[in-house]
Amino acid sequence: YAGGLGAVFDRLGSVKNGDLVTVTTREGKNYTYKVSKKVEYPKDKVPMASVMKSGDESRIEIITCAGAWQAPTYSNRLVVTAELVK
């Protein structure tokens, strides 16, 4: 996240539940995921055990900086969960 300066996750905060995210592997295979959850946490309060838990369904968890700049980092973390579309 670069506060709107062109980083890969700069627009992640604008996604909504139901939006689609496509991930392309280096081999050129595409996987499409549907956003199911978006939560912003204080940077030291992200429940990593539940965010990174294993499960039966394929999903991605995208975590990036959010909130106010408080050197040397941002105050919050944005966590976006998306489930594989079959």
Side-chain angles (χ1 to χ4, degrees):
Y1 180 74
L5 299 176
V8 68
F9 294 144
D10 269 353
R11 297 185 316 174
L12 192 61
S14 66
V15 301
K16 299 179 283 310
N17 285 355
D19 284 351
L20 299 178
V21 176
T22 300
V23 176
T24 304
T25 68
R26 72 179 79 160
E27 292 82 19
K29 184 160 179 149
N30 292 322
Y31 294 91
T32 301
Y33 295 83
K34 185 185 288 188
V35 174
S36 58
K37 186 176 176 183
K38 181 175 96 171
V39 182
E40 192 169 315
Y41 299 98
K43 69 178 171 74
D44 298 326
K45 304 286 185 192
V46 179
M48 292 304 288
S50 64
V51 168
M52 302 306 279
K53 72 180 185 277
S54 62
D56 295 333
E57 298 296 319
S58 180
R59 72 176 192 285
I60 56 174
E61 301 285 352
I62 304 169
I63 304 172
T64 192
C65 296
W69 174 253
Q70 296 177 338
T73 189
Y74 285 86
S75 61
N76 297 337
R77 298 296 179 263
L78 177 63
V79 179
V80 175
T81 303
E83 314 290 332
L84 182 65
V85 175
K86 296 182 180 177

